[in-house]
Amino acid sequence: MEVELKEMLNDLESLKRSLTDPSHSAPIDKLQLRVERLTSLAKTGPVRRSKVQDMSAEVVDSNPYSRLMALQRMGIVKNYERIREFSVAIVGVGGVGSVAAEMLTRCGIGRLLLYDYDKVELANMNRLFFRPEQSGMTKTDAAVQTLSDINPDVVLESYTLNITTVQGFETFTSSLKDKSFRPNKEGSGVDLVLSCVDNYEARMAVNQACNELNQTWMESGVSEDAVSGHIQLLIPGETACFACAPPLVVASGIDERTLKREGVCAASLPTTMGVVAGLLVQNTLKYLLNFGNVSPYLGYNSLKDFFPTMEMKPNPQCSNFACLERQKEYLLVKPARDAASKAKMEAEASSVTEAPLHLDNEWEISVVDDSEPDRKEAKSSDALPEGLVRELPSADDFQKPPAEAADSTVDDLEELRKQLDALNS
Amino acid sequence: MEVELKEMLNDLESLKRSLTDPSHSAPIDKLQLRVERLTSLAKTGPVRRSKVQDMSAEVVDSNPYSRLMALQRMGIVKNYERIREFSVAIVGVGGVGSVAAEMLTRCGIGRLLLYDYDKVELANMNRLFFRPEQSGMTKTDAAVQTLSDINPDVVLESYTLNITTVQGFETFTSSLKDKSFRPNKEGSGVDLVLSCVDNYEARMAVNQACNELNQTWMESGVSEDAVSGHIQLLIPGETACFACAPPLVVASGIDERTLKREGVCAASLPTTMGVVAGLLVQNTLKYLLNFGNVSPYLGYNSLKDFFPTMEMKPNPQCSNFACLERQKEYLLVKPARDAASKAKMEAEASSVTEAPLHLDNEWEISVVDDSEPDRKEAKSSDALPEGLVRELPSADDFQKPPAEAADSTVDDLEELRKQLDALNS
């Protein structure tokens, strides 16, 4: 618009010069004034926030990172600024994925990869993120528009494709392999894949890609009655993959397209999806920035405000070939990994003994660390991935008669099975 | 801008007519074309969604309520459209309050009252909702701008004031009393007050107003280290008020202004605040639309994904005079209320026996309702408000020696006390 207005000013100027009668110059002056006023109006459009070179902890109203960098001063995170090094892929930019993308963008994640093939509709307005005026845009385009306005520091890559098609799957896996953002990174080009899709096929596609690439990922889902959801951590070879124990995980996905075609649709709520996105990204931050305990599985039953946890070991008879390969590799490196982590723990323990913080301990006060006994257990012989906690009996215990397991454990499984039965009926 | 452009077209027309030399009409025609093009450019601004007369369950992409009305078909909510009758007041439009307001707006709440005195800053961009271009606007104005775009069906009222001042408190209480939205409503003019403030004084002001007006409210808070939060239901006379047991509740609030002045600030995360807002609004929906169990207290410890629950009875020695008045009233009506709820339950039970769904029960199969034993208990002699569940021992049990209470209960209280100690030190 500004270009058009400038050209108009030039046109008016040459018209004025071509007119010989001086009585005509007054209306042209008036027109020029009008155009100038319009130019300044057009310029006062939305002001974009500029890029920030380094994350600062300075407490000023203009610093978009002050409240995040404060996590270091509070002793929660050792080095918050590392978040700029990480790449996260979000598959599915719907009710959960879009909110997860916004949270990571506001946290200043280094790079976000977004995948979706759907368009924004007014029927999506009962969930957070998309705005009515974005109706008709692809979800990826609308998301990039909103996210780049919110935080221009984040590198955004969007892919408008269906990962369950042959072509889509190929583009998906090759985009995960691309290391141009951090060339010296080990493994694939992303640090974590978040699955925020709403159907079984798409979950199986994410599972296949991550098993092939040995890529850690997190799964999320919301039930079709809108009142429960879950998140799950999947480490190829180390935890159950999506094909190892599908019944417990499928329970929450139904293809929106199938439902729409039949003239019905799944219910959804911004609350349940917001909570699931929040739990998912919170665990993503814990995983990337190495604080707290990453949940292997966390459910959310909103009717009772009940949050079941559990853990699933890989299935040695899994139907997924890549999963079996990763299981073999994991068992091969397991003894070395256990020894290394044991040695590291002992070194840390002895270094603490060698250099006490307070040398003049005349009262012989000693600190007993009883806050995280689970984490220590996890690092010992029982082969739990780092950061995982055994809140419920391990997968092996589930095979014993129910009488031996804790009450709450049985409830969780029963409940999940009931949900599954309801879906399958 | 469109008005300016139209006037410019008129000016050009009269200039053309005043010019005698026909060689001058060509440049003016060109200018008129330019202005017309600019007019159509200006018109293609953001399209607003129009108001919707009735909530429809029709499954079409253009229906913003289809996924919410589906809650009825799924058997979760009996009458979703009732949401349009309800008024909710949100005090504090920050990291939790703004997201709570967006969720309720997208759910199609009837009327929202918003209270805040603060302005949007870039330092707020690490949480959901506000956009960088809104920096400098009051939080109430920015919220009304965004929310009215998202859902024009919601009646929005905003108050840019500090409820802890004398004038602010008076405006606050009289706005809660205003019944013009639903003149025949019992009690005050709002159905629920959500406290989403970040300091002790503001919580005490909400507590005072709600005790005086006998107004049920929900409290929410996030810790200054950004990794835990809570929500709590407060029913004057029936549950503990904010002054009955301040230590357990204050634990999470610190005045931002004080912190800023000292050159430090509390940490915050979009994840924790999104989860707390989601849990708060989910419980609001359960309370208003009468489904599931409303949590009396629900904590969120994000480092361990631990969600403590508890319940607090009112303190007969509470320092708040209005609370003591409400306690007296509650004890007076308690016997009648208990008798009525017992009679209702018995009537429901007998009506089920009198008219079985399947008359030809030749196998004598009977349904035992074991899904909600807690709810039945709650309605019996022990005087829990309707919809509340006893997940942990009641407040009385907390006064017994810790050895008698369940392990998890002790953990919760210990943890909250530790947080409090950390804040007070």
Side-chain angles (χ1 to χ4, degrees), chain B residues 111-383:
Chain B
R111 172 170 165 253
L112 266 190
L113 295 85
L114 305 173
Y115 307 82
D116 207 301
Y117 62 91
D118 216 357
K119 283 189 173 167
V120 179
E121 309 284 1
L122 279 183
N124 306 134
M125 292 308 132
N126 67 321
R127 285 156 277 177
L128 299 180
F129 192 74
F130 292 116
R131 300 186 304 268
E133 69 261 28
Q134 293 177 318
S135 298
M137 290 176 78
T138 63
K139 287 185 176 173
T140 42
D141 283 353
V144 168
Q145 181 189 63
T146 300
L147 299 176
S148 60
D149 275 349
I150 288 173
N151 190 348
D153 298 331
V154 178
V155 175
L156 296 166
E157 279 174 37
S158 71
Y159 298 86
T160 312
L161 52 78
N162 182 346
I163 62 161
T164 65
T165 64
V166 175
Q167 180 59 52
F169 185 78
E170 269 175 28
T171 312
F172 174 51
T173 50
S174 64
S175 67
L176 293 180
K177 281 187 243 175
D178 175 22
K179 288 203 200 185
S180 51
F181 181 73
R182 219 173 92 215
N184 54 351
K185 183 187 170 302
E186 274 181 46
S188 84
V190 302
D191 297 278
L192 196 65
V193 173
L194 302 180
S195 167
C196 304
V197 298
D198 60 359
N199 63 84
Y200 179 77
E201 285 69 29
R203 284 186 175 88
M204 285 302 265
V206 176
N207 188 59
Q208 184 62 38
C210 291
N211 276 343
E212 284 176 12
L213 298 174
N214 198 10
Q215 173 65 55
T216 298
W217 61 293
M218 285 186 196
E219 156 38 23
S220 69
V222 172
S223 65
E224 63 160 336
D225 64 4
V227 287
S228 54
H230 73 273
I231 62 167
Q232 185 181 352
L233 174 70
L234 297 101
I235 308 173
E238 215 166 313
T239 70
C241 90
F242 188 72
C244 282
L248 283 171
V249 184
V250 184
S252 45
I254 278 224
D255 188 275
E256 278 191 68
R257 252 130 241 284
T258 323
L259 288 165
K260 272 190 213 166
R261 220 171 291 135
E262 290 164 17
V264 291
C265 71
S268 56
L269 281 166
T271 44
T272 311
M273 290 186 152
V275 169
V276 170
L279 297 175
L280 181 69
V281 176
Q282 195 83 290
N283 276 280
T284 298
L285 295 174
K286 290 190 281 182
Y287 176 83
L288 296 176
L289 298 171
N290 198 26
F291 67 98
N293 301 315
V294 180
S295 285
Y297 177 99
L298 179 63
Y300 169 43
N301 171 327
S302 78
L303 295 183
K304 296 181 178 179
D305 281 336
F306 171 61
F307 300 82
T309 56
M310 69 171 84
E311 235 176 293
M312 282 182 282
K313 288 193 176 173
N315 176 358
Q317 273 87 46
C318 179
S319 62
N320 186 290
F321 180 74
C323 173
L324 297 178
E325 290 291 301
R326 297 293 90 77
Q327 289 189 43
K328 270 184 229 160
E329 289 165 12
Y330 179 71
L331 289 175
L332 274 177
V333 299
K334 190 176 175 297
R337 195 189 280 222
D338 289 350
S341 87
K342 200 182 162 194
K344 196 185 161 202
M345 252 179 59
E346 282 170 358
E348 277 169 8
S350 68
S351 76
V352 170
T353 321
E354 281 162 21
L357 194 62
H358 300 280
L359 285 166
D360 51 341
N361 188 4
E362 61 176 310
W363 300 98
E364 299 201 350
I365 294 166
S366 68
V367 178
V368 179
D369 181 12
D370 60 353
S371 61
E372 290 182 287
D374 294 315
R375 181 172 260 218
K376 271 184 209 153
E377 263 174 42
K379 279 184 185 168
S380 71
S381 64
D382 222 330

Side-chain angles (χ1 to χ4, degrees), chain A residues 11-291:
Chain A
D11 288 351
L12 284 169
E13 193 55 45
S14 53
L15 181 64
K16 192 158 81 175
R17 264 184 273 123
S18 73
L19 293 174
T20 43
D21 186 350
S23 75
H24 289 129
S25 65
I28 292 179
D29 286 347
K30 194 180 150 198
L31 277 165
Q32 280 178 320
L33 266 177
R34 272 195 197 282
V35 174
E36 276 161 18
R37 204 157 51 227
L38 281 173
T39 308
S40 69
L41 253 177
K43 271 185 186 156
T44 56
V47 185
R48 283 182 61 117
R49 117 150 158 66
S50 53
K51 291 198 181 197
V52 174
Q53 189 66 36
D54 296 300
M55 280 192 177
S56 142
E58 199 192 353
V59 184
V60 285
D61 286 340
S62 57
N63 179 5
Y65 296 118
S66 59
R67 312 290 166 91
L68 295 165
M69 294 296 278
L71 289 164
Q72 289 183 201
R73 196 175 41 79
M74 299 274 173
I76 302 292
V77 178
K78 216 168 178 182
N79 180 359
Y80 188 83
E81 202 167 358
R82 273 198 72 200
I83 199 159
R84 291 193 150 188
E85 294 172 19
F86 299 121
S87 294
V88 174
I90 297 183
V91 189
V93 191
V96 172
S98 63
V99 180
E102 179 170 350
M103 286 173 171
L104 284 168
T105 297
R106 290 186 183 264
C107 283
I109 192 81
R111 171 171 165 254
L112 265 190
L113 295 85
L114 305 173
Y115 307 83
D116 206 301
Y117 62 89
D118 215 357
K119 283 190 173 167
V120 179
E121 309 284 0
L122 280 183
N124 306 135
M125 291 308 133
N126 68 320
R127 285 156 278 178
L128 299 180
F129 193 73
F130 292 116
R131 300 186 304 269
E133 70 261 27
Q134 293 177 319
S135 297
M137 289 176 80
T138 63
K139 287 185 177 172
T140 42
D141 283 353
V144 168
Q145 180 188 63
T146 301
L147 299 176
S148 60
D149 274 349
I150 289 172
N151 191 347
D153 298 333
V154 178
V155 176
L156 295 167
E157 280 174 37
S158 70
Y159 299 86
T160 312
L161 53 79
N162 182 346
I163 62 160
T164 65
T165 65
V166 175
Q167 180 59 51
F169 186 77
E170 268 176 30
T171 312
F172 174 50
T173 50
S174 64
S175 68
L176 293 179
K177 282 188 244 175
D178 175 22
K179 289 202 201 186
S180 52
F181 181 72
R182 220 172 92 215
N184 54 350
K185 183 188 172 299
E186 273 182 45
S188 83
V190 302
D191 296 278
L192 196 65
V193 174
L194 302 181
S195 167
C196 305
V197 298
D198 60 0
N199 63 83
Y200 179 77
E201 285 69 28
R203 283 185 176 89
M204 284 301 264
V206 176
N207 188 59
Q208 184 61 39
C210 290
N211 276 343
E212 283 177 13
L213 299 174
N214 199 10
Q215 173 64 57
T216 298
W217 61 293
M218 285 187 197
E219 158 34 28
S220 69
V222 172
S223 65
E224 63 160 335
D225 64 5
V227 288
S228 54
H230 73 272
I231 62 167
Q232 185 180 352
L233 174 70
L234 296 102
I235 307 173
E238 215 166 313
T239 70
C241 90
F242 188 73
C244 283
L248 283 171
V249 185
V250 184
S252 46
I254 277 223
D255 187 275
E256 278 192 67
R257 252 132 240 284
T258 322
L259 288 165
K260 271 190 212 166
R261 220 171 292 135
E262 290 163 17
V264 291
C265 72
S268 57
L269 282 166
T271 44
T272 311
M273 288 185 154
V275 168
V276 169
L279 297 175
L280 181 69
V281 177
Q282 195 83 290
N283 276 281
T284 297
L285 295 175
K286 290 191 282 182
Y287 175 83
L288 296 176
L289 298 171
N290 198 27
F291 67 98

Side-chain angles (χ1 to χ4, degrees), chain A residues 296-418:
Chain A
Y297 177 100
L298 179 63
Y300 169 42
N301 171 327
S302 78
L303 295 183
K304 296 181 178 179
D305 281 335
F306 171 60
F307 300 82
T309 57
M310 70 171 86
E311 236 176 291
M312 283 182 282
K313 288 194 177 171
N315 177 359
Q317 272 88 45
C318 180
S319 61
N320 186 290
F321 180 74
C323 173
L324 297 178
E325 291 292 301
R326 295 296 90 76
Q327 289 189 43
K328 270 185 229 159
E329 289 165 12
Y330 179 70
L331 289 175
L332 274 176
V333 299
K334 191 177 173 295
R337 194 189 282 222
D338 288 350
S341 86
K342 199 181 164 195
K344 197 185 161 203
M345 253 179 58
E346 282 169 358
E348 276 169 10
S350 69
S351 75
V352 170
T353 322
E354 280 163 20
L357 193 62
H358 299 280
L359 285 166
D360 51 343
N361 187 3
E362 61 176 310
W363 300 96
E364 299 202 348
I365 294 166
S366 67
V367 178
V368 179
D369 181 12
D370 58 355
S371 62
E372 290 183 288
D374 294 315
R375 180 173 260 216
K376 270 183 211 155
E377 264 174 42
K379 280 185 185 167
S380 71
S381 63
D382 221 331
L384 280 187
E386 194 179 357
L388 294 199
V389 178
R390 202 176 292 282
E391 294 202 33
L392 286 181
S394 72
D396 291 346
D397 294 334
F398 287 143
Q399 285 156 20
K400 295 176 192 164
E404 284 186 61
D407 258 6
S408 64
T409 315
V410 178
D411 276 356
D412 304 359
L413 284 171
E414 298 274 78
E415 202 146 77
L416 285 162
R417 287 218 179 92
K418 259 190 238 162

Side-chain angles (χ1 to χ4, degrees), chain B residues 84-110:
Chain B
R84 291 193 149 188
E85 294 172 18
F86 298 121
S87 294
V88 173
I90 298 182
V91 189
V93 191
V96 173
S98 64
V99 180
E102 179 170 349
M103 286 174 171
L104 284 168
T105 297
R106 292 187 182 263
C107 283
I109 193 82

